[in-house]
Amino acid sequence: MNRIFSYLLCILSLSLISNNFAQDIEEIKADSTVKKLTLDELYQMIMVYHPVAQQAELLSEQGQMQIRLGKGYFDPKLESKYDQKVFKNNEYYQKWNSYAKIPLWAGNINVGYERNDGYKLNPENDTDGGNGLMYIGLELPVLKGLLMDERRAAVKKSHAMQKLAEADQIKLINKLILQIAKDYWEWYYTYHQYRLALEGYELAQFRMESVDERIRQGDLATVDGVEAKITIQQREINLRMAQMDLQKARLVLSNHMWTDDGKPLELLPEILPEELKVEVLPSVEQLIVDANIAHPDIVGLQAKNAVLAIDQRMAKESVKPELNLKYNYLGTTPVSGWEYGLGENYKFGATFSMPLFLRKERAKLQMTKLKIQDNELSMIMKKREISNNIRRAFIAVENYVELTDMQQEMSVNYQILLQGEADKFEAGESTVFYMNVREGKLLEAETKLFKMKAEYAKSVAELNWTAGVPPVRP
């Protein structure tokens, strides 16, 4: 009768361990108070409420403001100038000039009204005897500034700066997602570690009761009770350590959880992680190709190269002589003042300047060339670094896949050994010590299996972060 009872006990132990929480999963599905938090749901929550994600959104807005700033150099401008001179009660002159300056892609259009009057007004400032003149004219750089100037450079740079801001945004988000994935799968591991430790502790208690009963009946020696007691003590220590690890993992993951009004959230004990899902990853060569195009570090260097190219064009313009032309067509009134031809009433001017040695201009041009070369070398090194990092991370993923399969097979073998030990124990050819050893090895193997699965998921997140793209769900 005692042997039958021991045999049933061993069968119960095997079923509790070898099912890999199949019964627990069914209980979780049936329990309405238990909820699962998937990694996708956590990502969605974080992308909306996490302070770092909100900081990343600020980078995007900064990039948009850079474009608006560049376009602002082409905003029309209204100006008005008024001068008056009175000396010894004599009014010498009054000069008033109001105009609108409309920037063009090259040069400006000026539209205005000028009215000058006074006893001692300079004849060149006369505006039809004080009646005033309207004018419309054009300012145009002929040499320096014709192909590129500061306004056009600002617009082009703003687009490059926006790409740089977007690259920084992606880089910040990817780093956050990587950390979240690592913390999530650490929580996943500590949860299953705790479940296994709790299961092992309950099995040890159950076995202790049966051992005590058999000792009272004289079927087992007292030393077997000591052995069962030691097993309970050891597994209680393991349980408490696993519980502490689980609590720490929950707190670490809670660091990423926020409400819509900026208040921190705490991960409740009744919320459980999802089961690990394995998906097919792209080839390492495809990841490298994608990284060379979309990796935020590469995009940032390309944006920097675009800015330096604009600086180089500006430096080339500075070497040219400066020749600016200005033409204003004059009229007396808005209605009848434009009856004369363009060659009868007008103002025309030209300015020319050129440095004699061009030392400053040539130095700037050479400096831009050196900066471009330095940035291109940095891009070559960065591409090689990213390529090697992707290969390294991919090797880690492949190794964890193989190690997980090996650990899975090892767990199955430990189940077989435990079953065999249970048969021997039922036949009276084994002891409580050997049963505890086999059972402990199986629990250890199952715990290590979940550790391998968590490390695999972390390595997938690391791989995708290294490639510079949002991580593929493992």
Side-chain angles (χ1 to χ4, degrees):
M1 181 68 181
N2 291 333
R3 289 184 178 182
I4 295 175
F5 181 78
S6 301
Y7 179 75
L8 293 176
L9 173 64
C10 296
I11 296 299
L12 175 62
S13 301
L14 281 171
S15 63
L16 287 173
I17 298 174
S18 61
N19 288 337
N20 288 331
F21 300 112
Q23 295 178 358
D24 293 330
I25 293 174
E26 294 300 325
E27 292 176 2
I28 288 172
K29 292 179 180 179
D31 190 354
S32 60
T33 63
V34 175
K35 298 181 179 179
K36 286 192 176 184
L37 176 64
T38 67
L39 189 54
D40 284 336
E41 291 171 346
L42 186 59
Y43 284 157
Q44 293 173 6
M45 182 190 307
I46 287 166
M47 289 303 103
V48 178
Y49 304 129
H50 199 287
V52 175
Q54 294 177 359
Q55 287 178 329
E57 288 296 325
L58 294 179
L59 290 175
S60 179
E61 293 183 12
Q62 290 176 9
Q64 295 174 5
M65 291 305 103
Q66 287 284 351
I67 293 181
R68 180 178 293 183
L69 178 63
K71 291 181 178 179
Y73 285 95
F74 286 88
D75 289 344
K77 182 189 294 185
L78 293 175
E79 293 190 19
S80 183
K81 298 179 181 179
Y82 178 80
D83 289 328
Q84 182 182 25
K85 181 178 179 181
V86 178
F87 185 66
K88 293 182 180 182
N89 294 325
N90 293 323
E91 185 175 343
Y92 276 55
Y93 59 80
Q94 289 182 349
K95 295 191 292 184
W96 178 42
N97 185 16
S98 298
Y99 61 93
K101 178 178 288 188
I102 305 173
L104 302 176
W105 194 243
N108 302 294
I109 290 180
N110 297 321
V111 180
Y113 176 75
E114 184 176 7
R115 181 174 180 177
N116 303 327
D117 192 12
Y119 177 69
K120 291 187 177 181
L121 182 67
N122 194 319
E124 70 179 18
N125 295 325
D126 180 53
T127 56
D128 195 21
N131 292 325
L133 291 175
M134 295 190 65
Y135 61 88
I136 179 170
L138 176 66
E139 295 180 8
L140 182 66
V142 178
L143 297 177
K144 180 181 178 180
L146 179 62
L147 301 179
M148 178 64 69
D149 57 13
E150 293 183 359
R151 296 180 307 191
R152 283 173 280 178
V155 172
K156 291 180 179 294
K157 282 185 178 180
S158 66
H159 288 281
M161 294 302 293
Q162 185 191 29
K163 292 183 179 179
L164 183 59
E166 291 175 351
D168 290 338
Q169 179 188 21
I170 295 174
K171 191 174 180 180
L172 192 62
I173 290 296
N174 282 355
K175 185 177 180 181
L176 175 62
I177 287 177
L178 172 64
Q179 188 59 50
I180 292 169
K182 287 184 175 181
D183 294 340
Y184 183 91
W185 295 117
E186 184 65 23
W187 171 49
Y188 164 86
Y189 162 65
T190 55
Y191 163 72
H192 287 289
Q193 180 188 36
Y194 170 75
R195 294 284 297 173
L196 282 167
L198 178 61
E199 187 175 351
Y201 177 71
E202 292 174 348
L203 287 173
Q205 284 185 319
F206 187 72
R207 180 172 292 112
M208 182 68 187
E209 295 175 359
S210 66
V211 169
D212 289 341
E213 179 65 25
R214 292 184 64 182
I215 291 174
R216 284 193 296 268
Q217 295 178 6
D219 191 49
L220 291 177
T222 306
V223 69
D224 289 323
V226 176
E227 174 65 31
K229 181 64 176 178
I230 291 175
T231 302
I232 290 179
Q233 292 172 336
Q234 181 61 51
R235 292 186 182 179
E236 184 177 4
I237 293 174
N238 294 340
L239 177 61
R240 293 190 178 186
M241 294 294 292
Q243 186 178 23
M244 182 180 64
D245 292 340
L246 178 58
Q247 291 173 345
K248 289 165 59 177
R250 283 199 189 107
L251 290 174
V252 170
L253 191 60
S254 297
N255 290 335
H256 306 296
M257 302 174 64
W258 301 80
T259 62
D260 55 351
D261 54 354
K263 295 181 180 179
L265 287 174
E266 185 176 349
L267 189 62
L268 300 178
E270 58 266 22
I271 299 178
L272 306 181
E274 65 174 319
E275 292 302 315
L276 186 66
K277 300 175 183 178
V278 180
E279 296 183 3
V280 179
L281 294 174
S283 66
V284 63
E285 298 300 332
Q286 184 62 44
L287 286 173
I288 293 174
V289 171
D290 294 340
N292 288 335
I293 298 174
H295 196 285
D297 288 341
I298 300 298
V299 174
L301 289 172
Q302 291 173 343
K304 184 179 178 181
N305 205 52
V307 172
L308 293 174
I310 296 170
D311 290 338
Q312 186 180 40
R313 290 190 63 183
M314 286 294 296
K316 289 179 179 179
E317 287 293 315
S318 66
V319 178
K320 299 177 182 179
E322 184 174 357
L323 176 61
N324 298 326
L325 303 180
K326 182 177 181 180
Y327 175 85
N328 285 341
Y329 174 49
L330 306 177
T332 55
T333 64
V335 178
S336 61
W338 309 102
E339 70 273 13
Y340 299 102
L342 295 176
E344 298 182 21
N345 293 334
Y346 67 90
K347 289 173 63 176
F348 176 79
T351 59
F352 178 82
S353 65
M354 178 179 178
L356 295 179
F357 298 107
L358 296 174
R359 287 180 293 187
K360 180 177 68 175
E361 290 75 11
R362 288 183 293 174
K364 286 183 178 180
L365 179 58
Q366 187 61 27
M367 286 175 63
T368 57
K369 291 181 179 179
L370 294 175
K371 289 180 180 179
I372 289 176
Q373 291 178 1
D374 179 73
N375 191 68
E376 290 176 348
L377 292 174
S378 298
M379 190 177 300
I380 292 174
M381 290 299 299
K382 179 58 67 175
K383 287 183 177 181
R384 179 175 176 82
E385 178 184 348
I386 291 173
S387 174
N388 289 337
N389 287 340
I390 291 175
R391 295 182 188 279
R392 174 184 57 79
F394 201 87
I395 290 173
V397 173
E398 290 181 327
N399 284 334
Y400 276 119
V401 171
E402 295 177 0
L403 291 174
T404 302
D405 291 340
M406 293 172 62
Q407 190 64 35
Q408 179 69 47
E409 184 178 355
M410 189 182 300
S411 298
V412 173
N413 291 333
Y414 275 122
Q415 291 175 8
I416 296 173
L417 288 177
L418 180 58
Q419 179 65 59
E421 199 67 39
D423 294 339
K424 292 170 64 178
F425 188 81
E426 187 271 336
E429 299 175 359
S430 182
T431 64
V432 175
F433 171 78
Y434 287 112
M435 283 294 300
N436 288 336
V437 169
R438 296 300 187 191
E439 190 177 86
K441 287 293 185 180
L442 177 57
L443 290 171
E444 182 181 344
E446 291 284 347
T447 302
K448 194 171 183 180
L449 176 60
F450 282 107
K451 180 67 174 178
M452 289 292 181
K453 290 180 178 180
E455 292 300 322
Y456 160 75
K458 292 179 184 180
S459 67
V460 172
E462 183 85 21
L463 172 63
N464 287 278
W465 173 79
T466 304
V469 295
V472 176
R473 288 299 322 284

